[in-house]
Amino acid sequence: MTAGNSHDCVKGYEMLQDMDLVGKTVIAVRGYDINNILELIEKQQAIAVIPTRKLTHSST
């Protein structure tokens, strides 16, 4: 969606801000599982269907 030097979630957030999401379902890949996008979707009373990002655990 964006050039290689820009993360898609930044543009995705801007795009979602301009949409009327009330009562809709927002489906996205795990790269969009960030707090500001999830909060925006919740604030607009929509449902987020976004897989959780994998957390890496270091073995120490």
Side-chain angles (χ1 to χ4, degrees):
M1 189 163 95
T2 60
N5 61 346
S6 177
H7 198 285
D8 288 348
C9 66
V10 174
K11 189 64 176 170
Y13 180 82
E14 293 170 358
M15 183 179 68
L16 289 171
Q17 277 186 308
D18 295 335
M19 300 174 100
D20 177 15
L21 302 175
V22 176
K24 297 191 171 127
T25 301
V26 178
I27 301 171
V29 297
R30 71 175 38 114
Y32 294 89
D33 179 33
I34 59 172
N35 289 338
N36 66 341
I37 287 179
L38 296 173
E39 290 167 2
L40 175 66
I41 292 169
E42 182 179 342
K43 188 177 183 180
Q44 288 215 25
Q45 300 173 351
I47 298 169
V49 179
I50 303 172
T52 303
R53 287 185 288 157
K54 294 179 182 177
L55 299 177
T56 56
H57 298 282
S58 61
S59 56
T60 52

